Amino acid sequence: MTSLRILVQMMKADYLERVRSYSFLITVLVSIFIVYKFIPSSNESYLTLSLHNIRGIYNSDWVGSAIAILASMILSLPAFFLVKNAIERDVQTGVGQIIATTPITKWMYTIGKMWSNFVLLMSIVAVLMVSALAMQLIRGESYTVELLKLSLPFVYSTLPTIALVASIAILFESVPLLRKGLGNLIYFVLWILSLKWSTTAIHSSQDIFGISPILTRLSSGANARLPQGNGGHVSGVSPLRGDLVTYDWTGVHWTVQMFLERYVWLAVAVGIVAVASIFFHRFDLTRTSKTNKSGKPEEFSKVEPYV
């Protein structure tokens, strides 16, 4: 069996095992609930992605962009903790011992685990996309479904973000100092900083979450309907004061150049995995011990790892 075929089978088995876990199911259910609350009805006392009392009609452009922003910014936090056990799971189940006897290199293993993480997280994103479509129909402000306009914000914003999260999780698992509490704290701090950078970004290289084009277009659409001098930027969640004003938001004018600039972050994700492969121990079990049922450390038998 070739290394590539072993890698594909490993990724498939890993995905099928993790997609059946309770943590995955809970994440999906919570995500659907958040989508429901993030698209409030006109009778609610709050608004999302609005300026004062102005927001776009819930058409495919608006709903798709809103949920893509939500997925890129909010999902990126729990997603990290959901997938930051890929290597540890192989150690605990003994799969790592088997992999150590195969010709799979450290680079192949880490990149395979990264894409396994990515596919798992994109499964959640797919659920969010379906939920966005459902919310457009449930709210009933526009029954014209345009799948391309609904999905493009996810392709631009969310997909590269999820790739980054998947790769960072592998890096933190591979570096001994970052595997536990310190790594979790560092990621949380990086997530907070990324929120600040993305919401104030001027150039796409500063916009880690890929939300600035959407927020800018939303703000300009709302400002066009305000008296001169009362402008500002849309906010994530705000109370509704006065009568609700809606308008037909036509979305972002997507260009190939925008996607090329945004997808530089995919190259960054691959680079992060390359760094992770340097630190990855490749299941060198001569330095690993486990605890048997009696509580005494029991050394694994020696397995010569491939480089």
Side-chain angles (χ1 to χ4, degrees):
M1 185 180 291
T2 64
S3 298
L4 181 59
R5 186 176 178 184
I6 295 173
L7 184 64
V8 171
Q9 292 298 322
M10 177 190 72
M11 291 171 57
K12 179 181 177 181
D14 183 59
Y15 172 80
L16 292 176
E17 181 181 2
R18 292 198 285 175
V19 81
R20 300 188 187 107
S21 66
Y22 286 114
S23 57
F24 178 83
L25 177 61
I26 292 171
T27 303
V28 168
L29 293 177
V30 171
S31 298
I32 293 174
F33 175 76
I34 293 175
V35 168
Y36 176 79
K37 300 300 292 184
F38 202 68
I39 310 293
S41 70
S42 56
N43 298 322
E44 295 284 356
S45 59
Y46 69 95
L47 298 172
T48 57
L49 295 181
S50 62
L51 178 58
H52 301 308
N53 60 337
I54 301 174
R55 67 155 172 82
I57 290 175
Y58 291 150
N59 55 22
S60 295
D61 281 305
W62 201 97
V63 173
S65 296
I67 303 307
I69 288 177
L70 182 71
S72 189
M73 295 178 65
I74 307 303
L75 179 62
S76 55
L77 181 60
F80 172 78
F81 298 101
L82 179 65
V83 299
K84 188 177 168 281
N85 63 348
I87 299 175
E88 181 182 359
R89 184 188 296 271
D90 283 349
V91 172
Q92 292 177 345
T93 59
V95 172
Q97 294 171 269
I98 300 173
I99 294 174
T101 64
T102 68
I104 294 179
T105 63
K106 294 196 295 183
W107 158 250
M108 289 186 66
Y109 177 82
T110 52
I111 194 67
K113 281 296 179 181
M114 178 264 186
W115 288 118
S116 177
N117 286 347
F118 175 78
V119 173
L120 181 74
L121 296 178
M122 284 305 296
S123 298
I124 300 176
V125 174
V127 172
L128 296 183
M129 292 175 67
V130 174
S131 300
L133 174 59
M135 289 308 302
Q136 178 187 345
L137 299 176
I138 289 171
R139 294 310 183 207
E141 295 184 3
S142 172
Y143 290 108
T144 302
V145 174
E146 298 177 85
L147 293 178
L148 186 62
K149 291 184 176 182
L150 185 140
S151 59
L152 278 179
F154 289 93
V155 178
Y156 175 85
S157 176
T158 312
L159 190 151
T161 300
I162 293 303
L164 277 172
V165 173
S167 62
I168 292 172
I170 295 299
L171 174 63
F172 277 40
E173 272 204 278
S174 300
V175 179
L177 194 62
L178 301 178
R179 286 176 192 162
K180 300 299 181 181
L182 178 61
N184 296 340
L185 177 60
I186 290 175
Y187 181 82
F188 180 74
V189 173
L190 289 175
W191 180 76
I192 294 292
L193 292 175
S194 297
L195 288 178
K196 181 179 179 180
W197 293 332
S198 292
T199 52
T200 59
I202 299 176
H203 191 267
S204 59
S205 61
Q206 302 168 313
D207 185 8
I208 297 175
F209 291 130
I211 61 175
S212 56
I214 300 174
L215 293 179
T216 300
R217 187 77 173 84
L218 284 168
S219 297
S220 63
N223 278 311
R225 287 150 182 85
L226 284 173
Q228 204 169 24
N230 292 337
H233 298 282
V234 298
S235 58
V237 180
S238 59
L240 174 61
R241 297 185 177 92
D243 295 329
L244 174 65
V245 177
T246 60
Y247 67 97
D248 187 14
W249 190 65
T250 56
V252 177
H253 177 62
W254 302 109
T255 64
V256 174
Q257 181 65 27
M258 292 173 65
F259 280 91
L260 290 177
E261 292 178 357
R262 174 63 180 155
Y263 275 45
V264 168
W265 290 106
L266 286 180
V268 173
V270 174
I272 291 173
V273 174
V275 174
S277 67
I278 298 173
F279 291 94
F280 176 50
H281 52 68
R282 205 191 180 283
F283 307 107
D284 185 359
L285 304 181
T286 59
R287 295 177 296 174
T288 308
S289 64
K290 69 177 181 178
T291 304
N292 58 23
K293 293 182 179 180
S294 63
K296 297 179 181 180
E298 177 183 292
E299 294 295 328
F300 283 123
S301 59
K302 182 176 180 179
V303 179
E304 292 295 335
Y306 284 85
V307 178

